[in-house]
Amino acid sequence: MMTEIRIVSRGGQGGVTGAKMLAYAGHLDGKFVQAIPKYGAERKGAPIFADVRISTTHVKTHAPVITENTHSWIVLDPSLIQTIPLSKLSQDTLIIINSQEYPKSLQNENKLRIGKVDAVKIARECGLIKSGTEMVSTVMLGAWVKATNMVSLESLKNAVKHQFGDGELTDANIRSIELAYSQFEFI
Amino acid sequence: MMTEIRIVSRGGQGGVTGAKMLAYAGHLDGKFVQAIPKYGAERKGAPIFADVRISTTHVKTHAPVITENTHSWIVLDPSLIQTIPLSKLSQDTLIIINSQEYPKSLQNENKLRIGKVDAVKIARECGLIKSGTEMVSTVMLGAWVKATNMVSLESLKNAVKHQFGDGELTDANIRSIELAYSQFEFI
Amino acid sequence: MNVKIPEMMDRPEVLLRGNFACAGCGLSIAYKTAISALNRPIVVIPACCSSVIQSLHPNVTYNVPTLNIAFAAHASAASGIARAKKMRGEDTTTVVWSGDGGTFDIGLATWSGAAERNENIIHFCYDNNFYSNTGAQRSGATPRGAVTTTTPGGKKEKRKSIVRIMAAHDIPYIATASIGYPRDLYTKVKKASLIEGYRFILIDAPCPTGWNSDPALTPELGELAVKTGYFPLYEIEKGKLTFSRRGERYRDPEKRVPIEEYLSKQSRFKKMTSTQILEVKKDIQHEWDQLSLFE
Amino acid sequence: MNVKIPEMMDRPEVLLRGNFACAGCGLSIAYKTAISALNRPIVVIPACCSSVIQSLHPNVTYNVPTLNIAFAAHASAASGIARAKKMRGEDTTTVVWSGDGGTFDIGLATWSGAAERNENIIHFCYDNNFYSNTGAQRSGATPRGAVTTTTPGGKKEKRKSIVRIMAAHDIPYIATASIGYPRDLYTKVKKASLIEGYRFILIDAPCPTGWNSDPALTPELGELAVKTGYFPLYEIEKGKLTFSRRGERYRDPEKRVPIEEYLSKQSRFKKMTSTQILEVKKDIQHEWDQLSLFE
Amino acid sequence: MKEMVQTLEKPQTKLMTGSEAVATAAKLSRPQVIAAYPITPQTEIVETLSGMVTRGELNAEYINVESEHSAMGAVIGASLAGTRTFTATSSHGLLYMGELVWWAGLTRIPVVMPVVNRSLNPWNIWPDHQDAMTFRDAGWIQFYAKNNQEVLDLTICAFKIAEHHKIWMPVMVCLDGFILSHTTAQVEIPSQSDVDNFLPSFKPLAMLDPDDPFAHGSLTDSEGIWEQRMSLIAGFDNARVIIPQILTEYTEKIGRLGNYMVEVTGDIDNAECAIVALGTMGEEAEQAIEFLAEKNIKAVVFRPRVFRPFPKKELISLIKQVPRLLVIDRAVSFGNAGQLAIEIQAELYASKVDVKFYQIIRGLGGKDVSYADIAAEVEKVLKEDK
Amino acid sequence: MKEMVQTLEKPQTKLMTGSEAVATAAKLSRPQVIAAYPITPQTEIVETLSGMVTRGELNAEYINVESEHSAMGAVIGASLAGTRTFTATSSHGLLYMGELVWWAGLTRIPVVMPVVNRSLNPWNIWPDHQDAMTFRDAGWIQFYAKNNQEVLDLTICAFKIAEHHKIWMPVMVCLDGFILSHTTAQVEIPSQSDVDNFLPSFKPLAMLDPDDPFAHGSLTDSEGIWEQRMSLIAGFDNARVIIPQILTEYTEKIGRLGNYMVEVTGDIDNAECAIVALGTMGEEAEQAIEFLAEKNIKAVVFRPRVFRPFPKKELISLIKQVPRLLVIDRAVSFGNAGQLAIEIQAELYASKVDVKFYQIIRGLGGKDVSYADIAAEVEKVLKEDK
Amino acid sequence: MNEEIELKDPVLPLGRPTLGSAGETGDWRTFRPKFIEENCIKCYKCWLSCPEGTIRVDAHGEFPYIDYDYCKGCGICVHVCPGRKKQKALEMVPE
Amino acid sequence: MNEEIELKDPVLPLGRPTLGSAGETGDWRTFRPKFIEENCIKCYKCWLSCPEGTIRVDAHGEFPYIDYDYCKGCGICVHVCPGRKKQKALEMVPE
Ligand SMILES: Cc1ncc(C[n+]2csc(CCOP(=O)(O)OP(=O)(O)O)c2C)c(N)n1
Ligand SMILES: Cc1ncc(C[n+]2csc(CCOP(=O)(O)OP(=O)(O)O)c2C)c(N)n1
Ligand code: SF4
Ligand code: SF4
Ligand code: SF4
Ligand code: SF4
């Protein structure tokens, strides 16, 4: 069993680090994992994505996730919904969006499972702001865990600890995960 | 018909230029020719050789002359006789030596045709001295032409002109050729 | 005398909007200002951040003919262009646009040869003090004490004095300039463009991403580098050095803004101890002393 | 103060008899004198005449450990050796032995990097003013007006001032020396060997074959280069220049032997016009003027 | 020799990128002199190692050279001065050090160099094998790794192989840029003592030493060159024998790696088609055959893990057992074809093996190649050959 | 296309070395920018050309660069600035410019570069093909000349081939160091007007021009790279067609050269063995078959004059006609075999040709190879295969 | 031999100058510079220092304006703006 | 697989210091330096400048002598020899 997740974000939002943390959480749960950042020449602010695979056996593929097979899309910036090739998605694909409200462009997509969380708000609440940008990636991971239960909340928190070490930043991120976990809702 | 000649000399004696002139003389006679200097890291004074081929058809080989096939050896310095692999030479191979007297080491070689000319003397007579070294190569070519008639004396002289242009040097060289032509003797 | 802004306003748009440069990019300011001052430039760009900001093929942000070339081949490729255009009788200005890595390090022999031949080239080096393209590694231009990804404990050596190295080649024109003083830069480029032979202009070009500085402060960091004496502004014409109006006063260490003000605005200097800062001050003074010899 | 000959007499034999060098070879004198002054040297030799005179494998004329390396890799290979021996705790002296081509041209970036890192190396450049190995082509060290096989009309540019370029790197020790003054050379090498870091010694080493000069005159040409002011002798220690006892007096152009005496002994300068000779005199004076700034 | 295969049954102990795996392996191997120059996508290796040296975790001299030519120059010097050496590069960096890559190969310098494969110009930072393939003649042993675990294990083995006194050659460990270098995956890290037990300290065959002087690489005539070239050929023959031994020793002492030159994945006996590919494309092909199995198509993967020495015998004895062969190259010899395809065909000819042969080129300039793509190619082969 | 062969029936008009032949050909071709760096045994080319420029016999800019990397950099720049360009190198010089050799190949710079073949390190100035072979992947057309006449003729053709708008690629003309470069032989020199008539002035496909700006070689994604690589492959396909046409035109307008990609010498119908070799070893083999004929042994020589594009079809259609094949390489892909042998075998496999195949390596580091040696090898083949 | 194949034209590595070669980089912004006309003294320092060329001026003497399609929101223009009586003519506001 | 092949030792490119590595270079000579003992002041300038090391001195205070096996006859020693009262202690004579 292999689960493929794509995190869609803008340079600077923490999407790549988020992918690593998610993979790490899977790793702590005893799964085989992979985190693939898609590198380009893009700079801060440009759209980028990173893929995560969580599997019960060693992952042999190295390619970016295949659209049809992707289990979940975690979208860190609502303006990036347009980059998702909706028509190619399979039945029940999960899309989690950082957004206050239900995105209009998805209103008629009934083969998908769509959820949202106001990650910007949570990030601000928790003080997760760097150079003026809200760091929403851990928030979004918290929401995804709530939605899927595919890694344990505990492991995700430990992954955050592993990433940021002990200290305020970790505390803030863990708090944000908890908030997201409680505030996430399917639409 | 292809004739192969090896000129044995020391760096600075003009052996390589001699090979070029001999080839040029053959060229003027309407033959196909080749002059191959054997280049090494050797400096002035070190033993070197240069090969000449004169042929009635286009010369296809690019290798140094093969010992057994070599028609003539032109030896610009008697101390270099020792470098000739005498035992490998074929019947009637011609060896022409710059020497005043008959070299002892060749006294028992009766399968060979051996000739000599006192090229040092002739070169001095003609003023062919450069940085203290007698330039004996044209002298030796004159002797070779006498011995073999394989290129015309005229062509050899023209080759010298081609090499050194008009002027004293050419005149001296031509004189040296004539002297060698008259003084050469088989032993 | 510096050109007035209105005189600059009809300059051509050489760097088109909407490219890959980071927000607040110092090299963009440098490029726009310098290249727009030239007559029919042809620009050679070796590997550096400038080869990234130009965006992806088949589009490009540079609005002038541009040859991308291997890291160490800037001045040689430019030599080829300059000679070819001479053969063709075309009126163009051949330019090398290189980072400090390309100029101070891997490509040094290349430009030194071109400088010796006195090729008809203007060589610009925009200096962000490190390899920005590949993620902030040490270069020969990295100042003592600066943390880079290959000098995580801070660089031990002082920065190469590329200008003095250039000056030893006795080329006709050398200048330093800064994106903190765009009019000064523009004026110097205009002046250089009237001279024949190998000309060199070193441009201080802060990199907010690599220096971890506020993008809005890019020009201010340029100014501070001048005011602290860290980056003196001057020209060397036929071997004779003149400090620029903007720079002259910082000859007097007393008049300089304390270097700490400059250092504290960039996290790359965060680890510096006070002894190291003292050494840097010595490096600065040493450079001024050496430069003064050429006055 | 120069060492006395008797003090030199127990020096090791570093260059064995019976090698491929031409008769009267200047580099042989330079090598013998310089390398024999060192403690446990390990010598890195890039492509140059020194890689030829060593004779054919499996024999070698050099009686010290020698690494032959690619033309542009001298100072980097030496950096590797110096660091490795440091790791191993072995007491050796790492040396670059390069011609002017390797130093002035193709390998310039290499040593510049090593100099910036202040690697613990002594870099010798024996300077015969051109590429001797390959048959007398132009190098960055070729003086204006000299005929080489790639400048058959005489070189148009003046020679690079490699010493000023080195000096701009602020390395701890720089010296010029000549095979015309072997004791001076030996003394300088001894001195350099006591200093740590990147040290550079430029040795004037006439090449009778390439210069078409009488082999017996090799040392005299070395002397003449000094006496005509063409090749000033000096040391630069920590940035401070001192002209050597043997060289100081030629600061005064009046005291110099006329350059024509030097030029006329080498057929490479045969084609020079009097205007060119005047230019060369200017080049010489320019170099002295520039050097004097560092006193 | 008993066959061993890479075992990855349990989740491994650390998550790391391929670059970190290289740096970790290097650190465990205790190089004494490191010289390197940054280039995307190799930079993380260099940065990590310089951090280790700075923090004192690795007792080595780290030389921040000013170019790749100098990086290789420095490690050649350091190796001959008697130390274990390490460098890493990619793409244009590899080309820029090309002259010295040859130098190290032809004069037998046992340096270890990971090459993070990246395409060549025009500027493009994404992976293909054009860079490393350019040096397939140059007297280097070449490994191509399929995943981060193999990157780590092979890098440690590379030192032992390079420094084996019957081999004494440089070794390149190739890993696909980004695909491995920047991808995080699980890697099991051996303990320092296990590695020390496997890899003894550096024992120079010849060392620059004032007490026993020699000249290295001096002017050599044709006879000397011939002798050295023949010795290099013999060295590769030795390597064919010794590499599996060293891989065996590693697997026994440290585990997991396997001792094959060519890895076989799948059911060779029933395979309708075999796929040959290097590096991550090889592991991708493994996924592809699982994917094909779902469609009831049987295929097998032969992945040469070693490209130099070229594993002729191993490949031939495998190919003999299958009816069809699909070779996928990630590089081209322009004016002819894919390098891997050319060399395999040559061997097939020499061994008179008859197999239906198909060759394709994929993944140039970082073009994605997924298991689905590979599977589709296999299906195409089967359709064409009906 | 009717077949034409190199004709050398009458003594030619001038005696010159291979280097002079190159320089003469270059001069006749009117390059506008020349940049080169000396290296044995290429120096005479560079020196002769700089003399011609200095004396005003050739109207060109001559750039005395400070390294080969810069030589190739300069001609790339000059070519894109709209001029015909020329350089020449050898051995380590070729390696040192390697990064830019690739640059010229992959970004399509129509420069012409003779390579005077010389062995690689340790220092050795004598000939073999290791230097040029290293760049067989690099997107260059490669010729190997057998004698000084061919050197001259091919160099002139090289410009026309490089600059053909359906090819637009760099061309390397390889000549064996010393064996050709320093050997004096007869060469017929075409008149300037004949050459001008054959070779029109330079017409850039794209030029750096302030009136029509573009960026050359800028950052390119996988799709762009793929497109350019496929175009390069197509360019070689074009070259296969166009090269014989240009050689035909040369032979018609100027004479002598012949229009084949692979030269055949000897009686193919009765040959017991065919010999394949490049450059002067090819002509040496021609002599060898005459030598063998005296012993009543019939052999034939297939000499690929073009190695890139690899003349597959031509070789295969010839090899099909003989029972035995002896391939002689003057270089090695260490860890596998001779490059020529590998590629021919691959083709034999692909074309399912059955021939008794023999391969040897000869002449490394300048080891002499005479016709007698080659003849002996043929005899050995015949003895072995009885 | 195979003259009849179609000879394709070479694809050269040429990029053409293009506005927005990297897309509409305005959406990289999190803050935007806002122009306050009454404070502007038309010194054009913003124009001079904007790395993006997104401070536009139609002619000397006109007010500058901002091309928000490409402005990356670096804040330099605001930082360098002297404004009138210490009141800047530009300020950063959140997107 | 083929463990039984004999594993040869690598041939490394090592040259060893050898007297006369290029042969007895004395035969490159056309003139030879001749030593005239009575004129020698033991200044050892010849020793200092001989490129070949073929001016030999057994110990300080002894007379120099010449190793004719390797002396290339360049004449430097003669040229630099000051000699006694302008009478050189070395002169070149034809071989
Ligand atoms: C031969 C080679 N080595 C390394 C690289 C990788 N590389 C590309 S740009 C760069 C650094 C450029 O630094 P600099 O010249 O200072 O320009 P910046 O990136 O700072 O703008 C490096 C190391 C390369 N492209 N080619
Ligand atoms: C990369 C490379 N380019 C060119 C050469 C050929 N080459 C060998 S030595 C040499 C010139 C050396 O000149 P210099 O350093 O002045 O030393 P010299 O020969 O004068 O002693 C050249 C061009 C080479 N070996 N390698
Ligand atoms: S900098 Fe401020 S005051 Fe000056 S023109 Fe721009 S907006 Fe107006
Ligand atoms: S915020 Fe930055 S990019 Fe935008 S207009 Fe101001 S200076 Fe230009
Ligand atoms: S130079 Fe002359 S005087 Fe001095 S030691 Fe030698 S031979 Fe004697
Ligand atoms: S002639 Fe020359 S080589 Fe001979 S001893 Fe005198 S200086 Fe030495």
PDB file of all heavy atoms in Angstrom, chain A residues 27 31 33 35 39 58 61-62 69, chain E residues 12 126 146 184 186 283-284 371:
ATOM      1  N   HIS A  27       7.799   7.829   8.705  1.00  0.00           N
ATOM      2  CA  HIS A  27       8.968   7.063   9.115  1.00  0.00           C
ATOM      3  C   HIS A  27       8.833   6.636  10.574  1.00  0.00           C
ATOM      4  O   HIS A  27       9.053   5.468  10.917  1.00  0.00           O
ATOM      5  CB  HIS A  27      10.191   7.954   8.891  1.00  0.00           C
ATOM      6  CG  HIS A  27      11.477   7.444   9.444  1.00  0.00           C
ATOM      7  ND1 HIS A  27      12.081   6.289   9.002  1.00  0.00           N
ATOM      8  CD2 HIS A  27      12.299   7.951  10.399  1.00  0.00           C
ATOM      9  CE1 HIS A  27      13.220   6.109   9.659  1.00  0.00           C
ATOM     10  NE2 HIS A  27      13.380   7.093  10.513  1.00  0.00           N
ATOM     11  N   LYS A  31       6.669   3.300   8.580  1.00  0.00           N
ATOM     12  CA  LYS A  31       6.388   3.152   7.157  1.00  0.00           C
ATOM     13  C   LYS A  31       7.639   3.467   6.324  1.00  0.00           C
ATOM     14  O   LYS A  31       8.577   4.110   6.804  1.00  0.00           O
ATOM     15  CB  LYS A  31       5.273   4.139   6.742  1.00  0.00           C
ATOM     16  CG  LYS A  31       3.981   3.976   7.520  1.00  0.00           C
ATOM     17  CD  LYS A  31       3.097   2.902   6.905  1.00  0.00           C
ATOM     18  CE  LYS A  31       1.837   2.671   7.721  1.00  0.00           C
ATOM     19  NZ  LYS A  31       1.057   3.884   7.974  1.00  0.00           N
ATOM     20  N   VAL A  33       9.091   5.723   3.398  1.00  0.00           N
ATOM     21  CA  VAL A  33       8.663   7.061   2.958  1.00  0.00           C
ATOM     22  C   VAL A  33       9.639   7.668   1.961  1.00  0.00           C
ATOM     23  O   VAL A  33      10.759   7.186   1.770  1.00  0.00           O
ATOM     24  CB  VAL A  33       8.560   8.035   4.155  1.00  0.00           C
ATOM     25  CG1 VAL A  33       7.523   7.580   5.145  1.00  0.00           C
ATOM     26  CG2 VAL A  33       9.929   8.200   4.828  1.00  0.00           C
ATOM     27  N   ALA A  35      10.358  11.887   0.292  1.00  0.00           N
ATOM     28  CA  ALA A  35       9.923  13.271   0.104  1.00  0.00           C
ATOM     29  C   ALA A  35      10.712  13.836  -1.061  1.00  0.00           C
ATOM     30  O   ALA A  35      11.938  13.870  -1.028  1.00  0.00           O
ATOM     31  CB  ALA A  35      10.170  14.094   1.358  1.00  0.00           C
ATOM     32  N   TYR A  39      12.560  20.697  -7.806  1.00  0.00           N
ATOM     33  CA  TYR A  39      13.385  21.887  -7.860  1.00  0.00           C
ATOM     34  C   TYR A  39      13.351  22.508  -9.219  1.00  0.00           C
ATOM     35  O   TYR A  39      13.387  21.825 -10.233  1.00  0.00           O
ATOM     36  CB  TYR A  39      14.826  21.552  -7.497  1.00  0.00           C
ATOM     37  CG  TYR A  39      15.016  21.645  -6.015  1.00  0.00           C
ATOM     38  CD1 TYR A  39      14.745  20.566  -5.190  1.00  0.00           C
ATOM     39  CD2 TYR A  39      15.375  22.863  -5.445  1.00  0.00           C
ATOM     40  CE1 TYR A  39      14.892  20.661  -3.830  1.00  0.00           C
ATOM     41  CE2 TYR A  39      15.510  22.974  -4.077  1.00  0.00           C
ATOM     42  CZ  TYR A  39      15.273  21.870  -3.269  1.00  0.00           C
ATOM     43  OH  TYR A  39      15.387  21.983  -1.926  1.00  0.00           O
ATOM     44  N   HIS A  58       9.204  -0.871   0.590  1.00  0.00           N
ATOM     45  CA  HIS A  58      10.216   0.045   0.064  1.00  0.00           C
ATOM     46  C   HIS A  58       9.706   0.709  -1.219  1.00  0.00           C
ATOM     47  O   HIS A  58       9.187   0.060  -2.115  1.00  0.00           O
ATOM     48  CB  HIS A  58      11.507  -0.738  -0.224  1.00  0.00           C
ATOM     49  CG  HIS A  58      12.517   0.031  -1.016  1.00  0.00           C
ATOM     50  ND1 HIS A  58      13.126   1.157  -0.523  1.00  0.00           N
ATOM     51  CD2 HIS A  58      13.005  -0.155  -2.263  1.00  0.00           C
ATOM     52  CE1 HIS A  58      13.952   1.634  -1.435  1.00  0.00           C
ATOM     53  NE2 HIS A  58      13.903   0.860  -2.501  1.00  0.00           N
ATOM     54  N   THR A  61       9.729   3.770  -6.909  1.00  0.00           N
ATOM     55  CA  THR A  61       9.639   4.804  -7.937  1.00  0.00           C
ATOM     56  C   THR A  61      10.303   6.081  -7.444  1.00  0.00           C
ATOM     57  O   THR A  61      10.323   6.372  -6.248  1.00  0.00           O
ATOM     58  CB  THR A  61       8.171   5.079  -8.321  1.00  0.00           C
ATOM     59  OG1 THR A  61       8.159   6.152  -9.270  1.00  0.00           O
ATOM     60  CG2 THR A  61       7.361   5.498  -7.115  1.00  0.00           C
ATOM     61  N   HIS A  62      10.872   6.806  -8.382  1.00  0.00           N
ATOM     62  CA  HIS A  62      11.523   8.073  -8.051  1.00  0.00           C
ATOM     63  C   HIS A  62      10.885   9.224  -8.800  1.00  0.00           C
ATOM     64  O   HIS A  62      11.329  10.350  -8.708  1.00  0.00           O
ATOM     65  CB  HIS A  62      13.003   7.996  -8.418  1.00  0.00           C
ATOM     66  CG  HIS A  62      13.749   6.967  -7.628  1.00  0.00           C
ATOM     67  ND1 HIS A  62      14.267   7.231  -6.394  1.00  0.00           N
ATOM     68  CD2 HIS A  62      14.025   5.672  -7.874  1.00  0.00           C
ATOM     69  CE1 HIS A  62      14.862   6.140  -5.921  1.00  0.00           C
ATOM     70  NE2 HIS A  62      14.729   5.174  -6.799  1.00  0.00           N
ATOM     71  N   ASN A  69      -2.928   8.891  -9.502  1.00  0.00           N
ATOM     72  CA  ASN A  69      -2.735   8.065  -8.317  1.00  0.00           C
ATOM     73  C   ASN A  69      -2.648   8.868  -7.033  1.00  0.00           C
ATOM     74  O   ASN A  69      -2.576   8.304  -5.948  1.00  0.00           O
ATOM     75  CB  ASN A  69      -1.416   7.291  -8.430  1.00  0.00           C
ATOM     76  CG  ASN A  69      -1.402   6.373  -9.637  1.00  0.00           C
ATOM     77  OD1 ASN A  69      -2.408   6.285 -10.357  1.00  0.00           O
ATOM     78  ND2 ASN A  69      -0.297   5.706  -9.859  1.00  0.00           N
TER      79      ASN A  69
ATOM     80  N   GLN E  12      14.243   1.877   7.607  1.00  0.00           N
ATOM     81  CA  GLN E  12      15.620   2.129   7.974  1.00  0.00           C
ATOM     82  C   GLN E  12      15.695   3.174   9.074  1.00  0.00           C
ATOM     83  O   GLN E  12      14.697   3.729   9.502  1.00  0.00           O
ATOM     84  CB  GLN E  12      16.411   2.537   6.738  1.00  0.00           C
ATOM     85  CG  GLN E  12      16.216   1.575   5.575  1.00  0.00           C
ATOM     86  CD  GLN E  12      16.712   0.184   5.884  1.00  0.00           C
ATOM     87  OE1 GLN E  12      17.816   0.018   6.366  1.00  0.00           O
ATOM     88  NE2 GLN E  12      15.898  -0.823   5.647  1.00  0.00           N
ATOM     89  N   TRP E 126      18.975  19.763 -14.439  1.00  0.00           N
ATOM     90  CA  TRP E 126      18.262  18.537 -14.130  1.00  0.00           C
ATOM     91  C   TRP E 126      19.000  17.293 -14.625  1.00  0.00           C
ATOM     92  O   TRP E 126      19.930  17.381 -15.423  1.00  0.00           O
ATOM     93  CB  TRP E 126      16.834  18.665 -14.655  1.00  0.00           C
ATOM     94  CG  TRP E 126      16.130  19.767 -13.908  1.00  0.00           C
ATOM     95  CD1 TRP E 126      15.633  19.709 -12.650  1.00  0.00           C
ATOM     96  CD2 TRP E 126      15.907  21.119 -14.357  1.00  0.00           C
ATOM     97  NE1 TRP E 126      15.095  20.949 -12.277  1.00  0.00           N
ATOM     98  CE2 TRP E 126      15.253  21.818 -13.303  1.00  0.00           C
ATOM     99  CE3 TRP E 126      16.176  21.822 -15.531  1.00  0.00           C
ATOM    100  CZ2 TRP E 126      14.876  23.165 -13.403  1.00  0.00           C
ATOM    101  CZ3 TRP E 126      15.812  23.154 -15.639  1.00  0.00           C
ATOM    102  CH2 TRP E 126      15.177  23.813 -14.568  1.00  0.00           C
ATOM    103  N   LYS E 146      20.942   3.228  -7.314  1.00  0.00           N
ATOM    104  CA  LYS E 146      19.502   3.313  -7.597  1.00  0.00           C
ATOM    105  C   LYS E 146      18.711   3.991  -6.496  1.00  0.00           C
ATOM    106  O   LYS E 146      17.594   4.435  -6.723  1.00  0.00           O
ATOM    107  CB  LYS E 146      18.938   1.927  -7.866  1.00  0.00           C
ATOM    108  CG  LYS E 146      18.827   1.012  -6.645  1.00  0.00           C
ATOM    109  CD  LYS E 146      18.028  -0.255  -6.992  1.00  0.00           C
ATOM    110  CE  LYS E 146      17.893  -1.157  -5.765  1.00  0.00           C
ATOM    111  NZ  LYS E 146      17.079  -2.338  -6.045  1.00  0.00           N
ATOM    112  N   THR E 184      14.428  12.863  -0.071  1.00  0.00           N
ATOM    113  CA  THR E 184      14.606  12.296   1.251  1.00  0.00           C
ATOM    114  C   THR E 184      14.048  10.884   1.275  1.00  0.00           C
ATOM    115  O   THR E 184      12.936  10.649   0.815  1.00  0.00           O
ATOM    116  CB  THR E 184      13.846  13.162   2.279  1.00  0.00           C
ATOM    117  OG1 THR E 184      14.356  14.491   2.189  1.00  0.00           O
ATOM    118  CG2 THR E 184      14.039  12.627   3.682  1.00  0.00           C
ATOM    119  N   GLN E 186      14.652   6.744   3.409  1.00  0.00           N
ATOM    120  CA  GLN E 186      15.250   6.087   4.566  1.00  0.00           C
ATOM    121  C   GLN E 186      16.578   5.430   4.227  1.00  0.00           C
ATOM    122  O   GLN E 186      16.703   4.765   3.205  1.00  0.00           O
ATOM    123  CB  GLN E 186      14.283   5.046   5.126  1.00  0.00           C
ATOM    124  CG  GLN E 186      13.193   5.694   5.951  1.00  0.00           C
ATOM    125  CD  GLN E 186      11.827   5.175   5.610  1.00  0.00           C
ATOM    126  OE1 GLN E 186      11.584   4.739   4.476  1.00  0.00           O
ATOM    127  NE2 GLN E 186      10.923   5.224   6.578  1.00  0.00           N
ATOM    128  N   GLU E 283      15.693   1.292 -10.743  1.00  0.00           N
ATOM    129  CA  GLU E 283      14.713   1.000  -9.697  1.00  0.00           C
ATOM    130  C   GLU E 283      13.298   1.333 -10.175  1.00  0.00           C
ATOM    131  O   GLU E 283      12.336   0.638  -9.830  1.00  0.00           O
ATOM    132  CB  GLU E 283      15.040   1.736  -8.390  1.00  0.00           C
ATOM    133  CG  GLU E 283      14.425   1.002  -7.192  1.00  0.00           C
ATOM    134  CD  GLU E 283      14.832   1.565  -5.836  1.00  0.00           C
ATOM    135  OE1 GLU E 283      14.841   2.804  -5.651  1.00  0.00           O
ATOM    136  OE2 GLU E 283      15.137   0.764  -4.942  1.00  0.00           O
ATOM    137  N   GLU E 284      13.209   2.364 -10.993  1.00  0.00           N
ATOM    138  CA  GLU E 284      11.906   2.704 -11.573  1.00  0.00           C
ATOM    139  C   GLU E 284      11.382   1.508 -12.377  1.00  0.00           C
ATOM    140  O   GLU E 284      10.186   1.184 -12.335  1.00  0.00           O
ATOM    141  CB  GLU E 284      12.066   3.937 -12.483  1.00  0.00           C
ATOM    142  CG  GLU E 284      10.798   4.696 -12.787  1.00  0.00           C
ATOM    143  CD  GLU E 284      10.259   5.452 -11.579  1.00  0.00           C
ATOM    144  OE1 GLU E 284      11.051   5.989 -10.778  1.00  0.00           O
ATOM    145  OE2 GLU E 284       9.025   5.484 -11.423  1.00  0.00           O
ATOM    146  N   TYR E 371       7.516   4.811 -13.693  1.00  0.00           N
ATOM    147  CA  TYR E 371       7.330   3.376 -13.942  1.00  0.00           C
ATOM    148  C   TYR E 371       6.231   3.124 -14.960  1.00  0.00           C
ATOM    149  O   TYR E 371       6.321   2.188 -15.749  1.00  0.00           O
ATOM    150  CB  TYR E 371       7.039   2.648 -12.618  1.00  0.00           C
ATOM    151  CG  TYR E 371       5.830   3.160 -11.882  1.00  0.00           C
ATOM    152  CD1 TYR E 371       4.578   2.608 -12.114  1.00  0.00           C
ATOM    153  CD2 TYR E 371       5.941   4.203 -10.966  1.00  0.00           C
ATOM    154  CE1 TYR E 371       3.467   3.077 -11.433  1.00  0.00           C
ATOM    155  CE2 TYR E 371       4.840   4.673 -10.288  1.00  0.00           C
ATOM    156  CZ  TYR E 371       3.584   4.112 -10.526  1.00  0.00           C
ATOM    157  OH  TYR E 371       2.495   4.581  -9.862  1.00  0.00           O
TER     158      TYR E 371
END
